[in-house]
Amino acid sequence: MFSSLGLFQSLSCPQRNNCNRPSCIFSHNLDLPSHHSLDIPVQKVQPLPQTPSANVVQRAVPSKRPFHNLAQGPSSNSNGAPSGPPTQRLRVGTAQKPVAVPAASHTSTGVPIIRINPAQSQVALPVRQTLLKSLYEHFVVLYETILPSNPTLASEHALRQEEQVYSKSTKLTYRNAVINSIAALKRRPIPTSISHPSVGTEEDLTARAESKKKLNDLQVTRLLLKPIVMSLEAMQTWGFITEMPEGLGGDQPSAEGKIIQCERCTQSYMVKNIPTAEECQYHWGKLFTHKVNGERMRCYSCCQKPAEEGGCTRGHHVFYESKAEDLHSRHAFSFTRPSVADTKTDTALDVVALDCEMIYTTGGMRVARVSVVDGFGKQVFDELVRMDDGVEVIDYNTRFSGITQEEHAQATLSLSSIRKSLDAFINHHTIIIGHALHNDLNTLRIIHHQCVDTAIIFPHRAGPPYRRSLRDLAKEHLGLTIQAGGGTSGHSSVEDSVATLDLVRWYVLNKLKPAAKT
């Protein structure tokens, strides 16, 4: 077909005389020289000289892979047998849905931002961010009355709500799940405080409702609480008065004219019926420890000032007495009444929860309000207390007591009358529940031996004499926010007594081991 160019005529045919090609491109001339062999010189490795002192085993490491290994193909073992393909490392575990948890970051307008790796989210990040913004706007509308005192609450709850919906949804159901959450937000009643049942995410409300139902269904009885009733030794250790003090009792209702140390500023002063206004400079908050630039500092919770600085508030000098003899001299102690022989006619309850609010007077700190709830949490008593004759109010301590001068002016029952009223609910067999209960019983001048104190059954990690606050315990174990006035509106003795009862119920359900059946 094509003419040969003769490019291979200088090479002899590899098949020589056995070539059958009609027109071979190679030469069949016998005078051509023979093929040159490809001879590659290999330099032999000279062995290293052995030293008699060297005990180290020498290992020859080739600079390149030996030629024969390339020809063998698959790797082989020391016996020359092929060892097969290398094993593949497999991932152990079940495939899980990637859950992208948003970071808590916010814009200048308060709208939270989801800061995650988009590759970790099954739902497009712009879609999640848009629906998160819608959740935030509806939380802002719902929390309108409580946002001024809790400015980040709507943002925090919107982030958590979106995260909870995302973790339970798929790519196809996510959008509808968020829309349903928004519809549920619109149906909630407007909260009036941080502890309102409407505050929180859907999971918060569900968990709170289930916990509340368990607590309400539990009826605390004398037999059920017997394992946590304080012993006399424990009561004495924690400041309870267990025996009748010596003396007549009630012979010195007022300390007017005496020199006493002020509880607030620790200065000595003379107790007066009409004190000098703003003579005392003090801190109403408590000292707490925190770190500033790596150094531990003690500061006051009221103003964040260091412990060395002067007070941030001015008011009246006041005093507080804790010795049994001093308290007995202001108003006499007495034991709770014995039970009636006919138990059917005895109106005393098996279990009550009690809390008091106190104010400062010329007779020291005195009780101004008493609240009692029964074992179901139902209020059975709530009364203001009129001061004894000769005792004048110095400071209503409204920041903590919640009692104002106008409210206290309506009090009609004296402490003795209050004690008689309490006899209808309490006898010496009744178990009284409270928080730091010795303060309440001492100011009521009651000696009682059947007590359950939530400050004792939920101990402070530092041990005695430290006590955890009722507010912290309620927040941790009940998910409730009580005493939320922030030092402005005071406490509610009814709210506190219900909280102590619920804490005991929680303890019985979660901590108290059931008695062994015999």
Side-chain angles (χ1 to χ4, degrees):
M1 267 189 188
F2 302 99
S3 59
S4 175
L5 297 179
L7 299 178
F8 295 94
Q9 289 299 315
S10 60
L11 299 176
S12 60
C13 181
Q15 296 181 348
R16 302 284 180 170
N17 297 330
N18 297 326
C19 180
N20 297 323
R21 299 183 187 90
S23 359
C24 183
I25 62 173
F26 295 100
S27 174
H28 286 266
N29 190 354
L30 300 178
D31 296 336
L32 291 176
S34 60
H35 295 291
H36 296 282
S37 62
L38 184 61
D39 192 5
I40 299 176
V42 179
Q43 184 179 0
K44 295 183 179 180
V45 180
Q46 298 294 332
L48 295 176
Q50 298 289 337
T51 57
S53 61
N55 297 325
V56 181
V57 178
Q58 299 293 334
R59 179 182 298 176
V61 181
S63 60
K64 293 184 179 180
R65 184 179 300 177
F67 178 76
H68 63 82
N69 287 346
L70 297 176
Q72 289 180 1
S75 61
S76 59
N77 56 22
S78 59
N79 297 329
S83 60
T87 58
Q88 182 180 4
R89 293 183 179 179
L90 301 178
R91 292 184 179 179
V92 180
T94 58
Q96 295 181 356
K97 172 185 175 181
V99 178
V101 180
S105 57
H106 316 277
T107 64
S108 58
T109 59
V111 180
I113 299 176
I114 302 178
R115 298 193 181 278
I116 57 173
N117 186 354
Q120 295 179 342
S121 178
Q122 287 191 344
V123 180
L125 202 56
V127 175
R128 293 184 62 182
Q129 184 63 53
T130 301
L131 293 177
L132 173 61
K133 180 181 179 182
S134 182
L135 277 172
Y136 168 75
E137 292 172 349
H138 284 84
F139 269 111
V140 169
V141 173
L142 178 65
Y143 295 164
E144 181 180 4
T145 57
I146 60 176
L147 273 183
S149 56
N150 304 275
T152 63
L153 193 64
S155 179
E156 294 171 358
H157 287 185
L159 272 171
R160 288 174 50 206
Q161 181 66 52
E162 193 278 336
E163 176 189 346
Q164 292 168 7
V165 171
Y166 173 79
S167 62
K168 294 181 179 180
S169 306
T170 64
K171 185 177 181 179
L172 300 177
T173 62
Y174 170 77
R175 185 187 296 270
N176 287 337
V178 176
I179 293 174
N180 291 336
S181 297
I182 293 175
L185 285 176
K186 294 180 178 179
R187 292 192 296 266
R188 293 190 196 179
I190 302 298
T192 56
S193 66
I194 190 66
S195 59
H196 194 276
S198 295
V199 177
T201 64
E202 289 183 7
E203 288 188 1
D204 293 340
L205 269 61
T206 302
R208 198 182 304 152
E210 292 178 354
S211 177
K212 187 66 176 177
K213 185 177 184 303
K214 290 181 179 179
L215 293 179
N216 292 337
D217 291 343
L218 177 65
Q219 180 183 359
V220 289
T221 62
R222 190 183 305 160
L223 181 62
L224 191 63
L225 300 184
K226 186 177 180 181
I228 56 176
V229 171
M230 299 178 66
S231 64
L232 288 179
E233 293 77 9
M235 294 179 69
Q236 293 169 359
T237 301
W238 287 97
F240 288 81
I241 296 175
T242 58
E243 299 294 338
M244 184 66 69
E246 297 180 357
L248 180 61
D251 54 327
Q252 298 180 10
S254 176
E256 187 175 351
K258 293 186 177 181
I259 305 297
I260 297 181
Q261 187 182 50
C262 177
E263 183 196 6
R264 291 170 169 171
C265 65
T266 69
Q267 294 182 3
S268 297
Y269 77 104
M270 178 180 290
V271 180
K272 302 176 183 178
N273 187 1
I274 303 178
T276 305
E278 298 185 351
E279 58 185 346
C280 177
Q281 186 174 359
Y282 65 99
H283 291 281
W284 58 264
K286 294 183 179 180
L287 280 172
F288 69 99
T289 303
H290 70 127
K291 286 188 177 181
V292 177
N293 297 328
E295 296 183 1
R296 295 170 63 89
M297 290 187 61
R298 296 277 288 171
C299 299
Y300 285 97
S301 60
C302 50
C303 59
Q304 310 300 318
K305 289 184 178 180
E308 299 79 15
E309 294 195 17
C312 61
T313 307
R314 288 187 174 274
H316 303 299
H317 286 306
V318 296
F319 70 97
Y320 171 83
E321 296 173 319
S322 59
K323 293 182 178 179
E325 294 76 12
D326 296 334
L327 295 174
H328 188 57
S329 66
R330 307 298 178 206
H331 190 102
F333 276 90
S334 61
F335 287 93
T336 47
R337 69 171 177 85
S339 57
V340 180
D342 186 2
T343 56
K344 293 182 179 180
T345 60
D346 198 338
T347 59
L349 303 174
D350 282 351
V351 178
V352 298
L354 179 146
D355 189 76
C356 298
E357 302 297 345
M358 279 79 83
I359 60 179
Y360 290 105
T361 70
T362 56
M365 181 171 274
R366 299 293 291 268
V367 60
R369 181 184 178 186
V370 184
S371 301
V372 180
V373 297
D374 61 14
F376 294 97
K378 180 181 177 182
Q379 176 183 320
V380 295
F381 188 80
D382 184 31
E383 289 290 341
L384 295 171
V385 184
R386 177 173 57 83
M387 295 298 106
D388 293 338
D389 294 339
V391 178
E392 300 296 333
V393 177
I394 300 299
D395 191 336
Y396 287 94
N397 200 27
T398 306
R399 177 179 283 111
F400 298 105
S401 69
I403 299 174
T404 62
Q405 182 176 2
E406 294 75 18
E407 293 173 344
H408 192 258
Q410 302 174 7
T412 57
L413 298 178
S414 64
L415 180 55
S416 299
S417 300
I418 293 289
R419 286 293 314 277
K420 292 180 180 179
S421 300
L422 292 178
D423 286 342
F425 313 108
I426 302 173
N427 63 22
H428 74 284
H429 288 305
T430 302
I431 294 179
I432 301 179
I433 299 172
H435 186 81
L437 186 57
H438 70 288
N439 289 325
D440 302 311
L441 295 183
N442 290 353
T443 193
L444 286 170
R445 304 302 193 263
I446 290 178
I447 302 176
H448 190 71
H449 295 165
Q450 300 294 312
C451 299
V452 174
D453 197 330
T454 52
I456 311 303
I457 61 177
F458 295 96
H460 195 283
R461 62 181 180 179
Y466 300 101
R467 297 178 176 90
R468 297 190 62 185
S469 68
L470 179 61
R471 179 179 180 179
D472 290 344
L473 291 175
K475 183 67 174 179
E476 177 180 344
H477 299 294
L478 305 177
L480 296 177
T481 302
I482 62 172
Q483 304 172 358
T488 57
S489 61
H491 304 173
S492 167
S493 52
V494 174
E495 181 185 51
D496 291 355
S497 58
V498 173
T500 56
L501 175 65
D502 287 343
L503 280 171
V504 171
R505 285 169 161 175
W506 185 95
Y507 185 88
V508 171
L509 287 173
N510 297 276
K511 296 292 185 179
L512 191 61
K513 296 181 180 180
K517 296 182 180 180
T518 56

